[in-house]
């Protein structure tokens, strides 16, 4: 917290953001706010600093899709580790815990500084309002991530002015979500329309609408359980769909190849965290495909730790013909360097599950002049159209009255793509559709399964399980599979063994508890 305060007071503007297609400015350090925000260039530079938080290791550079999203899909494959956030066995002084908390509040403070000073800038009014909308949305989004991981947190809506501004009580969740929704709805009127940019790194109306659907589904679920929010979730998801611009990429695997190849298909991948290799020692790379991905020491392919293995229960979730299984979970491994050949699992080897990886992003497709050992330039998706379709279906099913035909159609669109039924030449297009006439409970289970298959390893699953109120029981249920793993992979069940109800949120970091005398620790710590 003290480090954040010092940086804020210095007015540091970090201009090498993760949005490599967004801004390419020279960095300007240690500029006092009173002497900044004078023109469009400086406002855009400050806005890039707000975006920059998305690409840090503590956020979507690594933690939010890896250690902090361990669920029933996979496990932390570093067998020597017995204590880690990813194992739900950690101390409140854990550095990852603090880094994510601090980084998110740093982003909030940067957004607050920009919002407080943007009206001083001499720049076109229309551009100013777009920037204001993006800053409002990002502040709200960072609060959404904070509350999703920690529950009630301090709600800071002004930038920090002095080092003494550290004591602040956590706000009620209802107040925080009211602010999140208000900021995002205001932003939706100000940001640019989808298609304005040639990349997916900047906030657009489609991104705001889709995230508003996600926020409202969270509010409808645990812990708030405000059922009136299902209608709002349906409304915002419907706005994305009714725009008529978005569509599913016919090939599921191509969505993730695009992230590696710097191909922007904003009709499917609406909002992404962008990573890039610049030159020499200057880069803003993440860990997508290098910490997860198909494990290999083959540098010709691109080094990957393969540090997230899969659960047999996740493999079993997929039915025959679902192409997503062998993309989310590798059905081959690589030959040793310098060969770039692949060895496919065949025969009895197909029964081997626990040595397979979370393989959605594969470095063999990475389009970079240099493939680093520990990092990659593969983009990470924050919102995809498939998610929007599934959110609409879930919200519609949960509302009073009969489920609409659109809900069935939208989940079936996702399933058809998963089974290759959107590809040119596909036949028997409806073969993968859900059975007609599912009741509300059956349909909800279908949605839950579909979200796991479609959105696996995208930093969403743990939060889905929490809002559905089934996190603890689902994780404990993994223990029924322990006998299916040989001795080499018994450690993979440590997470399930450690889980308790307190793990629906993380502990408040020790440094925050020490500095902020009004902060309250989460139950169980």
């Amino acid at each position: 917290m003290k480090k954040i305060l010092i940086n804020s007071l210095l007015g540091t503007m970090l201009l090498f953001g993760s949005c490599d297609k967004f801004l390419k400015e020279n960095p300007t350090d240690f500029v006092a706010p009173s002497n900044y925000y004078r023109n469009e260039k400086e406002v855009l530079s400050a806005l890039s600093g707000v975006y920059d938080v998305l690409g840090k290791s503590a956020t979507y550079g690594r933690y939010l899709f890896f250690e902090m999203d361990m669920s029933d899909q996979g496990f932390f494959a570093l067998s020597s580790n017995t204590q880690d956030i990813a194992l739900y066995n950690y101390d409140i002084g854990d550095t990852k815990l603090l880094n994510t908390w601090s980084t998110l509040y740093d982003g909030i403070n940067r957004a607050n500084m920009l919002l407080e000073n943007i009206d001083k800038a001499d720049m076109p009014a229309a551009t100013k309002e777009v920037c204001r909308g993006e800053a409002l949305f990002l502040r709200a989004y960072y609060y959404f991530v904070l509350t999703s991981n920690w529950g009630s947190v301090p709600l800071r809506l002004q930038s920090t002015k002095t080092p003494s501004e550290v004591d602040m009580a956590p706000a009620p969740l209802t107040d925080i979500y009211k602010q999140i929704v208000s900021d995002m709805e205001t932003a939706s009127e100000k940001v640019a329309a989808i298609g304005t940019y040639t990349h997916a790194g900047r906030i657009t109306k489609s991104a705001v609408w889709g995230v508003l659907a996600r926020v409202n589904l969270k509010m409808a679920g645990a812990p708030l359980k405000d059922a009136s929010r299902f209608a709002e979730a349906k409304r915002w998801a419907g706005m994305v769909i009714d725009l008529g611009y978005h569509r599913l990429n016919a090939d599921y695997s191509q969505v993730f190849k695009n992230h590696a190849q710097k191909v922007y298909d904003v009709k499917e991948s609406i909002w992404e965290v962008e990573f890039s290799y610049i030159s020499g020692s200057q880069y803003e790379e993440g860990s997508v495909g290098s910490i997860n991905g198909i494990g290999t020491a083959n540098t010709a392919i691109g080094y990957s730790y393969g540090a997230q293995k899969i659960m047999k229960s996740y493999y079993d979730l997929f039915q025959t013909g679902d192409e997503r299984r062998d993309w989310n979970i590798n059905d081959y491994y690589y030959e040793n360097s310098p060969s770039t050949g692949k060895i496919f699992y065949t025969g009895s080897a197909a029964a081997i599950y626990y040595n397979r990886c979370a393989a959605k992003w594969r470095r063999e497709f990475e389009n970079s002049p240099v493939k680093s050992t520990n990092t990659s330039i593969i983009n990470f998706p924050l919102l995809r159209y498939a998610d929007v379709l599934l959110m609409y279906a879930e919200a519609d099913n949960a509302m009073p009255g009969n489920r609409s035909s659109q809900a069935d159609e939208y989940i079936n669109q996702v399933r058809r793509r998963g089974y290759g039924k959107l590809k040119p030449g596909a036949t028997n297009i409806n073969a993968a559709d859900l059975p007609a006439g599912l009741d509300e409970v059956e349909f909800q289970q279908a949605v839950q399964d579909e979200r796991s298959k479609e959105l696996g390893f995208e930093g969403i699953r743990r939060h889905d399980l929490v809002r559905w109120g089934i996190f603890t029981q689902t994780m404990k249920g993994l223990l029924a599979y322990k006998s299916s793993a040989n001795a080499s992979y018994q450690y993979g069940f440590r997470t399930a063994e450690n889980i308790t109800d307190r793990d629906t949120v993380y502990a408040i970091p020790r440094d925050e508890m020490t500095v902020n005398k009004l902060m309250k620790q989460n139950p169980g710590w």
Side-chain angles (χ1 to χ4, degrees), residues 59-280:
T59 54
Y60 295 104
R62 173 168 167 164
Y63 298 169
L64 290 179
F65 70 82
F66 181 54
E67 285 98 335
M68 297 177 74
D69 190 45
M70 285 296 163
S71 67
D72 58 332
Q73 296 170 338
F75 61 93
F76 191 51
L78 300 178
S79 60
S80 61
N81 289 44
T82 58
Q83 188 173 27
D84 197 278
I85 286 180
L87 297 171
Y88 296 96
N89 182 31
Y90 60 93
D91 183 84
I92 63 172
D94 188 281
T95 56
K96 294 174 186 173
L97 192 76
L98 176 63
N99 288 345
T100 301
W101 173 280
S102 301
T103 300
L104 291 167
Y105 269 111
D106 192 15
I108 289 166
N109 200 66
R110 296 182 190 187
N112 284 335
M113 291 174 66
L114 175 55
L115 291 168
E116 290 164 2
N117 289 280
I118 192 170
D119 285 326
K120 298 189 307 186
D122 181 13
M123 61 188 294
T127 305
K128 183 182 293 185
E129 290 310 299
V130 169
C131 293
R132 192 193 311 273
E134 291 178 56
L136 275 170
F137 174 84
L138 287 169
R139 181 177 73 176
Y141 185 77
Y142 296 149
Y143 271 119
F144 178 55
V145 177
L146 279 164
T147 57
S148 295
N149 285 288
W150 281 279
S152 295
V153 297
L155 182 61
R156 301 179 182 273
L157 300 178
Q158 292 82 38
S159 64
T160 305
K161 306 298 191 301
T162 69
S164 62
E165 297 177 41
V166 293
D167 293 331
M168 192 171 190
L173 269 181
T174 50
D175 291 352
I176 301 174
Y177 275 98
K178 181 179 179 181
Q179 187 69 46
I180 289 171
V181 169
S182 175
D183 282 352
M184 287 189 178
E185 288 185 350
T186 299
S188 73
E189 299 297 323
K190 297 180 181 295
V191 300
I194 191 73
T196 301
Y197 313 113
T198 58
H199 56 90
R202 285 189 77 171
I203 304 301
T204 62
K205 291 186 183 300
S206 292
V208 177
W209 297 342
V211 173
L212 270 165
R214 184 180 293 169
V215 168
N216 279 283
L217 273 183
K218 172 62 177 177
M219 296 172 72
L224 294 179
K225 298 183 179 179
D226 181 358
S228 69
R229 288 291 162 174
F230 283 119
E232 284 296 288
K234 176 182 174 180
R235 179 170 75 91
W236 290 109
M239 289 180 68
V240 181
I241 297 166
D242 293 343
L243 187 64
Y245 176 86
H246 298 282
R247 54 103 181 96
L248 297 172
N249 190 305
D251 185 341
Y252 180 75
S253 67
Q254 190 60 48
V255 176
F256 309 99
K257 293 175 185 176
N258 286 345
H259 295 152
Q261 295 168 341
K262 298 302 179 187
V263 174
Y264 293 93
D265 175 11
V266 294
K267 293 185 177 182
E268 160 88 33
S269 192
I270 298 172
W271 183 30
E272 301 173 13
V273 182
E274 297 186 291
F275 297 99
S276 65
Y277 177 88
I278 301 175
S279 64

Side-chain angles (χ1 to χ4, degrees), residues 453-491:
K453 291 181 285 188
E454 176 68 29
L455 304 169
F457 312 116
E458 294 185 37
I460 295 174
R461 180 62 174 177
R462 176 177 172 272
H463 300 297
D464 276 350
L465 293 173
V466 169
R467 69 180 177 86
W468 291 327
I470 61 173
F471 175 71
T472 305
Q473 69 189 67
T474 300
M475 296 301 291
K476 287 294 186 185
L478 292 173
L479 294 175
Y481 282 84
K482 189 172 182 179
S483 61
S484 68
N486 62 29
S488 299
Y489 290 106
Q490 289 288 304
Y491 73 88

Side-chain angles (χ1 to χ4, degrees), residues 206-470:
S206 292
V208 177
W209 297 342
V211 173
L212 270 165
R214 184 180 293 169
V215 168
N216 279 283
L217 273 183
K218 172 62 177 177
M219 296 172 72
L224 294 179
K225 298 183 179 179
D226 181 358
S228 69
R229 288 291 162 174
F230 283 119
E232 284 296 288
K234 176 182 174 180
R235 179 170 75 91
W236 290 109
M239 289 180 68
V240 181
I241 297 166
D242 293 343
L243 187 64
Y245 176 86
H246 298 282
R247 54 103 181 96
L248 297 172
N249 190 305
D251 185 341
Y252 180 75
S253 67
Q254 190 60 48
V255 176
F256 309 99
K257 293 175 185 176
N258 286 345
H259 295 152
Q261 295 168 341
K262 298 302 179 187
V263 174
Y264 293 93
D265 175 11
V266 294
K267 293 185 177 182
E268 160 88 33
S269 192
I270 298 172
W271 183 30
E272 301 173 13
V273 182
E274 297 186 291
F275 297 99
S276 65
Y277 177 88
I278 301 175
S279 64
S281 62
Q282 292 185 337
Y283 58 85
E284 174 95 355
E285 297 189 0
S287 298
V288 184
S290 65
I291 190 66
N292 52 8
I294 303 175
T296 180
N298 189 332
T299 55
I301 295 292
Y303 191 97
S304 173
Y305 289 92
Q308 189 170 14
K309 303 292 188 182
I310 67 101
M311 285 289 179
K312 182 179 184 296
S313 56
Y314 187 55
Y315 186 96
D316 291 345
L317 186 64
F318 295 88
Q319 290 80 41
T320 301
D322 193 332
E323 297 179 354
R324 295 172 297 187
R325 186 194 69 186
D326 290 342
W327 187 259
N328 293 354
I329 304 166
N330 55 301
D331 62 344
Y332 63 82
Y333 55 97
Y334 300 111
E335 295 180 350
N336 293 329
S337 185
S339 171
T340 57
K342 303 172 184 178
I343 303 172
F344 284 82
Y345 295 112
T346 59
S348 61
I352 301 173
Y353 302 100
Y354 295 98
N355 64 338
R356 301 195 193 194
C357 303
K360 209 163 214 176
W361 296 279
R362 308 183 181 191
R363 299 198 69 184
E364 63 185 276
F365 300 102
E366 184 181 345
N367 183 17
S368 176
V370 177
K371 291 186 179 182
S372 303
T373 298
N374 296 312
T375 56
S376 80
I377 67 163
I378 301 173
N379 287 0
F380 185 80
L382 294 176
L383 180 68
R384 295 197 289 113
Y385 185 53
D387 190 3
V388 175
L389 293 172
L390 293 174
M391 288 192 289
Y392 183 103
E394 179 180 351
D396 184 86
N397 180 62
M399 292 172 60
N402 295 328
R403 182 174 67 249
S404 73
S405 59
Q406 287 94 333
D408 292 78
E409 171 61 19
Y410 294 153
I411 191 173
N412 283 332
Q413 284 183 22
V414 176
R415 288 178 60 83
R416 288 169 201 152
R417 195 264 297 276
Y419 283 78
K421 298 299 183 180
L422 301 187
K423 293 179 179 178
T427 59
N428 201 7
I429 303 301
N430 302 112
D433 289 5
L434 292 174
L438 296 180
D439 64 25
E440 181 180 337
V441 174
E442 293 168 333
F443 191 86
Q444 174 63 15
Q445 184 61 58
V447 168
Q448 291 177 2
D449 291 347
E450 206 60 36
R451 287 185 66 80
S452 185
K453 291 181 285 188
E454 176 68 29
L455 304 169
F457 312 116
E458 294 185 37
I460 295 174
R461 180 62 174 177
R462 176 177 172 272
H463 300 297
D464 276 350
L465 293 173
V466 169
R467 69 180 177 86
W468 291 327
I470 61 173

Side-chain angles (χ1 to χ4, degrees), residues 3-15 27-37 42 45-46 49 106 109-110 113-114 117 159-161:
K3 181 178 179 181
I4 295 174
L5 294 176
I6 292 170
N7 284 343
S8 299
L9 292 170
L10 291 173
T12 305
M13 301 299 173
L14 300 179
L15 304 181
T28 304
D29 292 335
F30 309 115
V31 179
S34 59
N35 298 322
Y36 210 71
Y37 309 99
E42 291 181 354
S45 296
D106 192 15
N109 200 66
R110 296 182 190 187
M113 291 174 66
L114 175 55
N117 289 280
S159 64
T160 305
K161 306 298 191 301

